[in-house]
């Protein structure tokens, strides 16, 4: 039930800190070690490459998951859009492990890949919010998101939960391989939970951003580099699906190769700057678009800010920044849709669970 919330989407955005804390509990044993099914651990240890298969928001979580699996656990990982995979099946490695990421566990595009994978005799792990869902039943292993029911069509808490579970899987794999890590994942996820909470308490500021930048615009661009680029893709999807504003996420360095031609006087550009190693370069991209008339809003991480009027996110581990930086984008999209009189929880032409191919 919505309780005192006007929409499920806002309720579900607000639930994200609790979801983070629940995931920490569910994936931790009494000795504070990661608790994971031994079979899952073994399946990851035995594979030489992970193939992530997903759609929509879950695909965006997969892009971040790839970074975790490669940077933390050193497992080569590819991410594929489920509906494309059947026609564009890449040359598979010798010992592939398929990871299906799906909030509902029912997405038909993923299921048809899973059927194929099962025929080929490869192992499949499903990361889902729904125990007993089709994908979970038909794959060898399941990891649950523990996000609680997600009712709003636009996915929010399932996305942050997917990234959290992928981070835990990556850390567990790294530990199983004997790699040294310079952070305690559960402690860092606890810091993420607190950071999201702090942001949800400041939603008036984000409502103002939605009013200032998005109340009448036809389009909006999200720019970032590395992890920030992937989060920008998710920010753009959130905005288009519930506010119907044409929104696109671009890699900062790609702007000059074409898309900068789209910038006009007043075009809103939301720039993400949470990654220290690309902070200067993304800021040059912001200057490039501002020079051409863009109305830029910068979302940065504490310590990386350069201007007074940026939205500054509480400091978190750099790899986990996407779990926090997506929250202002969810809230900005929510308020943009609200101010444009859109049906926030049930956007036109969309269904919560896509069971057709
Ligand atoms: C976006 C959204 C969709 C889903 C996609 C996959 O907010 O909800 O893009 O993410 O349809 O759904 P699942 O994760 O259930 O496989």
């Amino acid at each position: 039930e919505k309780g005192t919330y006007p929409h499920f989407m806002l309720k579900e955005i607000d639930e994200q800190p609790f979801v983070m804390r629940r995931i920490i509990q569910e994936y931790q044993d009494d000795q504070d070690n990661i608790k994971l099914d031994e079979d899952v651990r073994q399946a990851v240890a035995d594979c030489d490459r992970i193939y992530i298969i997903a759609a929509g928001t879950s695909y965006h979580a997969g892009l971040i998951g790839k970074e975790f699996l490669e940077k933390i656990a050193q497992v080569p990982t590819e991410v594929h859009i489920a509906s494309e995979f059947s026609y564009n099946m890449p040359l598979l490695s010798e010992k592939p492990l398929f990871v299906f990421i799906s909030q509902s566990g029912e997405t038909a595009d993923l299921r048809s890949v899973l059927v194929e994978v099962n025929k080929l005799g490869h192992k499949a792990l499903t990361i889902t919010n729904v125990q007993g869902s089709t994908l979970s039943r038909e794959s060898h292993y399941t990891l649950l998101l523990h996000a609680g029911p997600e009712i709003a069509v636009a996915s929010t808490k399932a996305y942050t939960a997917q990234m959290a579970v992928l981070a835990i899987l990556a850390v567990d794999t790294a530990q199983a391989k004997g790699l040294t890590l310079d952070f305690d994942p559960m402690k860092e996820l606890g810091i993420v939970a607190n950071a999201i909470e702090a942001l949800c308490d400041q939603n008036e500021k984000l409502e103002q951003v939605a009013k200032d930048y998005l109340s009448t615009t036809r389009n909006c661009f999200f720019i970032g580099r590395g992890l920030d680029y992937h989060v920008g893709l998710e920010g753009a999807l959130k905005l288009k699906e519930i506010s119907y504003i044409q929104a696109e996420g671009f890699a900062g360095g790609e702007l000059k190769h074409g898309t900068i031609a789209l910038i006009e006087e007043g075009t809103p550009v939301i720039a993400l700057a949470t990654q220290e190693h690309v902070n200067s370069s993304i800021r040059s991209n912001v200057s490039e678009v501002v020079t051409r008339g863009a109305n830029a809003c910068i979302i940065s991480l504490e310590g990386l800010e350069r201007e007074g009027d940026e939205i500054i996110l509480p400091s978190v581990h750099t790899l986990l920044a996407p779990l926090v930086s997506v929250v202002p984008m969810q809230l900005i999209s929510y308020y943009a849709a609200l101010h444009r009189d859109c049906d926030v929880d049930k956007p036109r032409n969309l269904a919560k669970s896509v069971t057709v191919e």
Side-chain angles (χ1 to χ4, degrees):
E1 275 315 301
K2 274 192 293 214
T4 54
Y5 287 93
H7 298 98
F8 280 107
M9 185 180 177
L10 189 60
K11 174 172 179 268
E12 290 161 6
I13 292 172
D14 259 14
E15 280 171 355
Q16 292 176 109
F18 306 104
V19 174
M20 284 300 116
R21 292 181 189 123
R22 198 183 305 142
I23 290 172
I24 296 170
Q25 267 175 13
E26 294 285 344
Y27 282 95
Q28 202 166 32
D29 68 13
D30 297 341
Q31 279 83 49
D32 290 352
N33 294 318
I34 294 179
K35 190 171 73 185
L36 209 64
D37 194 342
E38 196 52 48
D39 292 349
V40 174
R41 192 168 279 153
Q42 201 55 48
V44 182
D46 287 346
C47 81
D48 61 359
R49 182 172 286 258
I50 286 178
Y51 295 80
I52 293 179
I53 312 290
T57 288
S58 300
Y59 171 74
H60 295 152
L63 295 173
I64 307 288
K66 168 190 161 79
E67 304 289 323
F68 293 162
L69 288 160
E70 294 199 332
K71 297 209 162 72
I72 300 173
Q74 295 176 18
V75 182
T77 304
E78 295 178 18
V79 197
H80 294 272
I81 293 175
S83 59
E84 284 292 304
F85 192 83
S86 339
Y87 335 105
N88 290 328
M89 173 123 42
L91 192 60
L92 297 180
S93 65
E94 255 172 59
K95 291 183 286 179
L97 171 66
F98 283 82
V99 174
F100 292 83
I101 307 178
S102 175
Q103 187 283 130
S104 63
E106 300 296 341
T107 304
D109 289 328
L110 276 72
R111 173 144 196 265
S112 63
V113 179
L114 178 57
V115 167
E116 193 60 28
V117 163
N118 281 336
K119 265 193 219 145
L120 292 170
H122 298 309
K123 293 279 192 267
L125 158 68
T126 287
I127 301 181
T128 181
N129 203 21
V130 185
Q131 192 157 25
S133 55
T134 307
L135 292 172
S136 168
R137 280 186 278 112
E138 296 183 3
S139 51
H140 303 82
Y141 323 103
T142 297
L143 291 178
L144 290 175
L145 297 175
H146 301 290
E150 194 181 59
I151 310 291
V153 165
S155 182
T156 53
K157 62 177 179 172
Y159 171 76
T160 40
Q162 285 163 342
M163 293 189 289
V165 170
L166 285 159
I168 292 170
L169 181 65
V171 169
D172 187 76
T173 306
Q175 286 171 346
K177 284 170 109 172
L179 303 175
T180 27
L181 285 176
D182 58 357
F183 66 96
D184 169 353
M186 299 307 189
K187 189 173 143 239
E188 296 300 337
L189 285 173
I191 296 173
V192 163
N194 296 343
I196 299 176
E197 208 156 54
L199 274 175
C200 288
D201 288 344
Q202 288 178 36
N203 55 7
E204 277 163 28
K205 197 168 162 190
L206 298 162
E207 178 166 12
Q208 197 57 46
V209 171
K211 272 193 195 156
D212 293 348
Y213 290 79
L214 304 173
S215 50
T216 57
T217 189
R218 274 188 311 126
N219 54 11
C220 174
F221 303 121
F222 292 77
I223 61 170
R225 287 176 180 247
L227 288 171
D228 287 336
Y229 164 47
H230 300 317
V231 178
L233 294 176
E234 172 59 11
L237 177 59
K238 263 326 54 104
L239 188 62
K240 54 189 150 188
E241 65 183 332
I242 60 166
S243 76
Y244 318 139
I245 296 170
Q246 194 223 335
E248 303 300 334
F250 298 129
E254 271 292 289
L255 285 170
K256 60 182 175 299
H257 297 293
T259 38
I260 200 162
L262 293 167
I263 304 293
E264 299 173 338
E265 197 57 41
T267 305
V269 173
I270 298 179
L272 284 138
T274 74
Q275 302 291 309
E276 191 170 6
H277 62 297
V278 291
N279 199 24
S280 296
S281 15
I282 192 66
R283 280 159 194 288
S284 315
N285 298 134
V286 172
S287 308
E288 286 157 14
V289 294
V290 167
T291 309
R292 288 157 180 90
N295 194 10
C297 168
I298 303 178
I299 299 176
S300 65
L301 201 67
E302 204 177 322
L304 298 181
E305 71 272 22
R306 299 233 176 126
E307 319 275 340
D309 56 354
E310 299 181 8
I311 292 171
I312 303 164
L313 309 173
S315 174
V316 293
H317 191 283
T318 180
L319 282 175
L320 298 181
L323 284 80
V324 179
S325 61
V326 74
V327 177
M329 278 178 284
Q330 296 168 342
L331 285 165
I332 290 170
S333 301
Y334 171 76
Y335 287 113
L338 206 62
H339 289 295
R340 295 167 74 110
D341 278 334
C342 300
D343 187 347
V344 171
D345 283 340
K346 287 201 180 65
R348 68 186 181 206
N349 310 342
L350 294 174
K352 183 68 188 161
S353 183
V354 187
T355 51
V356 289
E357 278 179 48

